[in-house]
Amino acid sequence: AAAFGSAGTEMDAEKMSFPLGSVAGVPVRVHYFLPIVAGLSALSALTSSGGMLAVLVAVIVSGPLVLLTVLAHEMGHVTAARRCGFSPDHILLWPLGGLAYISKDSITPKEQIFVSVMGPMTHIPMLGVWAVVMFFVNDGRVTLSTHGMWYETHFVAIICLMMLLNNIAMLLFNLLVPCIPLDCSNILVSLLLLCGCQATTAAQVIVAVSIPVVIVLVGLGIWAFAAGGAMASLNIMVALWLGVQTYRLHKARLSGQ
């Protein structure tokens, strides 16, 4: 997601992240959620029948590969913002696609849509790369199912499969879930503004749409937790975080910001 002038979320980023370095002149910070995801993935893999190879795949995929995927997503926002004449402040990497904090004087709805869309669009070429690699290491077969695959004989193919699923999930989550600060919410707001809606009305729409979405996400997380899913607690935390951002938007709207 691309965050424009979001002081509250920027403060959260400082508190809940650590510096990683810089890419193309943009400082990069990593949210604590990312290593937590890697740890929970490894824990989940321990309960599977794949043994230590399953744990290794989980650590590789949910660690460095997810980090690079999220970074590519955010660089899509940064590149688009620079083309529109805006300056990126820093990038926060987190499991849902990250946040690119971009300084601006003004931005038109069309520019906002362009910047917001270019993050998720980076997943399309990444999907192509993983599909090609899988084609060559999996006897010419590209699949989204682990049927007939074993860690001992299909180690790289399983990594490709998991990265295909991760990229599909990040693409759809950011484009279809209309919660602040996900890309879908910025696109929806910009479309409403282009249709003549006032900013306060657009914010009200986002709040109204976000509330049931957050409730569903929390419900799914609780259901997964009851079923023993290792990632369920993180899913609930993420849903609650989106709920907090929605509440902040609601308060800002009421105060006339």
Side-chain angles (χ1 to χ4, degrees):
F4 289 91
S6 181
T9 52
E10 187 167 355
M11 187 178 299
D12 290 343
E14 295 293 332
K15 292 180 179 179
M16 301 186 65
S17 64
F18 57 90
L20 184 65
S22 63
V23 176
V26 183
V28 178
R29 301 185 65 87
V30 177
H31 200 285
Y32 292 132
F33 274 175
L34 269 179
I36 289 175
V37 166
L40 290 175
S41 296
L43 179 63
S44 178
L46 279 173
T47 64
S48 72
S49 59
M52 291 310 298
L53 284 178
V55 175
L56 181 59
V57 168
V59 171
I60 292 173
V61 169
S62 59
L65 292 183
V66 163
L67 187 146
L68 291 173
T69 300
V70 174
L71 179 59
H73 176 118
E74 294 312 308
M75 288 307 297
H77 290 308
V78 167
T79 301
R82 282 175 167 169
R83 286 194 59 182
C84 294
F86 304 118
S87 301
D89 183 71
H90 68 275
I91 290 173
L92 170 66
L93 302 181
W94 73 308
L96 297 183
L99 291 168
Y101 293 88
I102 301 170
S103 303
K104 70 174 183 69
D105 294 322
S106 61
I107 187 169
T108 66
K110 289 183 179 180
E111 289 173 333
Q112 176 67 80
I113 291 173
F114 175 64
V115 173
S116 297
V117 166
M118 289 308 295
M121 288 301 100
T122 60
H123 294 291
I124 295 177
M126 285 190 281
L127 281 167
V129 169
W130 287 113
V132 169
V133 174
M134 189 177 195
F135 178 85
F136 284 106
V137 302
N138 196 36
D139 300 322
R141 192 166 68 100
V142 178
T143 178
L144 296 178
S145 171
T146 57
H147 179 72
M149 289 187 179
W150 308 96
Y151 287 103
E152 293 80 3
T153 56
H154 298 83
F155 185 81
V156 177
I158 291 175
I159 290 178
C160 293
L161 165 61
M162 296 181 71
M163 290 308 300
L164 284 171
L165 293 175
N166 280 346
N167 275 278
I168 291 172
M170 291 182 188
L171 173 64
L172 296 180
F173 196 89
N174 278 278
L175 284 182
L176 298 181
V177 178
C179 294
I180 291 290
L182 300 180
D183 297 314
C184 179
S185 65
N186 291 323
I187 294 170
L188 178 56
V189 166
S190 298
L191 289 174
L192 290 172
L193 294 177
L194 284 174
C195 292
C197 289
Q198 297 295 319
T200 54
T201 303
Q204 185 176 8
V205 170
I206 293 297
V207 170
V209 173
S210 296
I211 291 174
V213 172
V214 170
I215 292 173
V216 169
L217 291 176
V218 171
L220 290 174
I222 294 174
W223 175 79
F225 183 82
M231 301 292 290
S233 57
L234 179 63
N235 293 339
I236 294 173
M237 289 171 59
V238 169
L240 292 176
W241 183 83
L242 291 174
V244 170
Q245 304 311 310
T246 299
Y247 178 68
R248 284 179 173 175
L249 176 62
H250 176 63
K251 287 183 62 178
R253 182 183 66 82
L254 292 179
S255 62
Q257 297 182 25

